[in-house]
Amino acid sequence: MDQNQLRQSIVRQLYRRSGATGQIQLPAVPGLIDEYVTMCDTVFAGVGRKFTAEELAHLRELLADQLAQAYAASPRSMITISYNAPSSQLLNYHIKPEWWTIEGAYENWIGIRQPPYFGTEPDARVLALAGEANDPKAFRVLDVGAGTGRNALGLARRGYPVDAVELTPKFADIIRTEADRELLDVRVIQRDVFATLDDLRRDYQLIVLSEVVCDFRTTQQLRGVFELATHCLAPEGRLVFNAFVAHDGYVPDDATRQLGQQSYTSMFTRDELATAAASFPLTLLADDSVHDYEKKHLPEGAWPPTNWYPNWTAGQDVFDLAREYVPIDMRWLVYGRIS
């Protein structure tokens, strides 16, 4: 027997006497299940526990079920694969799905990040639209998904009356506290804006959804934005929101959309936007790159609003590519009410 065979024989004994414990934690993206299986196969083989084809097939079946459960529950979902390889050729593993509500995920931001969470300045695109008003006091704004009040408070400080709707309780408290401290004309509504329109006005000159549509999961939710605007905008009022839009000719597949939702980057095609807006008395007035518009128009020293903002708005949180090769872009979309 040659030296190489002898060497391999003692290596096999080494692995038989080894023990390993670990975890693999990944966002739940059902469309990428092949990657999960490959990763597990590689890790398990790396600790001397190579799976058979039958064992991998069983692992895939379990992963598919848990990924589907987690992703269906929330776009803020993970699966954790815990494994334990005792001093033998055995390997035990357990797959656990975990998820958070959208408001729960944002509440978690407060615990792990330092303020300002979304930047300090109002969006330049929002200020430009509000700046078209002859009299700020007569120009009422609805800020949907107001976050910590970056736009709502910024507009109120400039004299605009603002209704701020925010789902996350801690964010709503931040806006309310700051508005009370500065005696600003801000009404804070803490709830899901799409649950009812009863406590909203019908004469808003501007409706803003900044960094909100990026959390949507369906075209029907997008349609809800146009329905809200139809009911609540004054004649000649404006609706502005930012959304990740696929480049012409590119249609994201399921895996890309799923990873996008996990990365605050839900995306829509132009056809999906047109379908969502169909039948409503609204017309598209402007369509600008968020990255380029904000970089050009924010006050000196305010770009970027946060360290993650440039890559995120360029779609690079989903696509690990140079910006010019990324097939989506976050756009500022401005719609006008047709009188």
Side-chain angles (χ1 to χ4, degrees):
M1 185 171 292
D2 64 28
Q3 289 298 317
N4 183 59
Q5 289 176 308
L6 291 172
R7 177 76 176 193
Q8 291 305 312
S9 74
I10 67 170
V11 168
R12 288 194 296 272
Q13 290 292 4
L14 172 69
Y15 278 118
R16 288 192 182 110
R17 288 163 171 76
S18 69
T21 301
Q23 285 188 340
I24 305 169
Q25 190 173 57
L26 294 164
V29 182
L32 292 177
I33 186 170
D34 288 342
E35 302 304 322
Y36 294 79
V37 175
T38 298
M39 183 178 293
C40 289
D41 187 26
T42 301
V43 171
F44 297 166
V47 295
R49 310 304 192 268
K50 181 65 177 175
F51 271 29
T52 66
E54 288 183 356
E55 289 171 328
L56 285 176
H58 181 61
L59 170 64
R60 181 188 178 90
E61 182 180 343
L62 295 176
L63 280 169
D65 178 65
Q66 296 302 306
L67 284 168
Q69 285 188 42
Y71 179 75
S74 171
R76 302 294 175 267
S77 54
M78 307 285 293
I79 62 163
T80 299
I81 306 163
S82 304
Y83 63 90
N84 175 40
S87 298
S88 68
Q89 292 181 305
L90 297 176
L91 184 140
N92 304 309
Y93 63 86
H94 175 70
I95 304 169
K96 179 183 178 182
E98 299 176 284
W99 56 81
W100 302 265
T101 61
I102 295 296
E103 59 269 31
Y106 281 115
E107 292 258 0
N108 187 52
W109 274 39
I110 297 176
I112 64 176
R113 300 189 181 213
Q114 294 296 316
Y117 306 108
F118 305 101
T120 57
E121 294 292 323
D123 290 312
R125 193 71 185 93
V126 172
L127 286 185
L129 289 167
E132 298 174 3
N134 294 323
D135 178 11
K137 292 183 179 180
F139 193 91
R140 185 165 289 276
V141 179
L142 174 64
D143 185 7
V144 176
T148 56
R150 183 171 48 85
N151 283 316
L153 297 171
L155 289 168
R157 290 178 184 124
R158 291 165 171 80
Y160 298 90
V162 180
D163 286 356
V165 184
E166 175 51 48
L167 181 63
T168 304
K170 288 184 180 179
F171 286 173
D173 288 344
I174 290 171
I175 302 172
R176 191 178 293 109
T177 299
E178 193 64 23
D180 290 346
R181 187 179 69 82
E182 298 185 36
L183 301 178
L184 299 174
D185 188 356
V186 178
R187 179 171 68 118
V188 180
I189 304 169
Q190 196 268 297
R191 65 172 178 82
D192 178 358
V193 72
F194 300 108
T196 178
L197 303 180
D198 291 348
D199 53 355
L200 300 180
R201 299 172 64 98
R202 301 295 186 268
D203 61 349
Y204 295 109
Q205 299 292 330
L206 178 64
I207 296 178
V208 177
L209 292 92
S210 178
E211 303 178 16
V212 172
V213 175
C214 56
D215 275 324
F216 285 4
R217 306 194 78 175
T218 67
T219 306
Q220 187 60 36
Q221 288 176 288
L222 190 58
R223 188 169 177 80
V225 173
F226 296 112
E227 183 176 3
L228 170 70
T230 298
H231 282 87
C232 296
L233 272 180
E236 309 301 327
R238 298 287 184 263
L239 163 69
V240 60
F241 62 88
N242 45 21
F244 286 95
V245 181
H247 293 178
D248 290 343
Y250 172 66
V251 179
D253 61 16
D254 288 345
T256 304
R257 290 181 186 271
Q258 291 161 6
L259 183 60
Q261 290 179 17
Q262 292 283 16
S263 308
Y264 305 85
T265 311
S266 291
M267 57 197 76
F268 298 93
T269 64
R270 296 279 177 187
D271 286 345
E272 288 168 337
L273 284 165
T275 298
S279 78
F280 292 111
L282 300 162
T283 186
L284 182 64
L285 302 176
D287 180 344
D288 302 290
S289 163
V290 171
H291 181 285
D292 294 348
Y293 191 98
E294 296 302 307
K295 184 176 182 179
K296 180 178 180 179
H297 295 285
L298 278 173
E300 185 176 353
W303 175 264
T306 65
N307 60 357
W308 46 262
Y309 191 87
N311 285 354
W312 174 62
T313 55
Q316 291 170 300
D317 281 6
V318 175
F319 297 93
D320 185 18
L321 297 168
R323 186 186 174 202
E324 60 266 27
Y325 298 112
V326 175
I328 63 172
D329 187 33
M330 195 180 210
R331 312 291 298 181
W332 278 122
L333 303 173
V334 181
Y335 291 80
R337 175 74 182 265
I338 302 172
S339 57

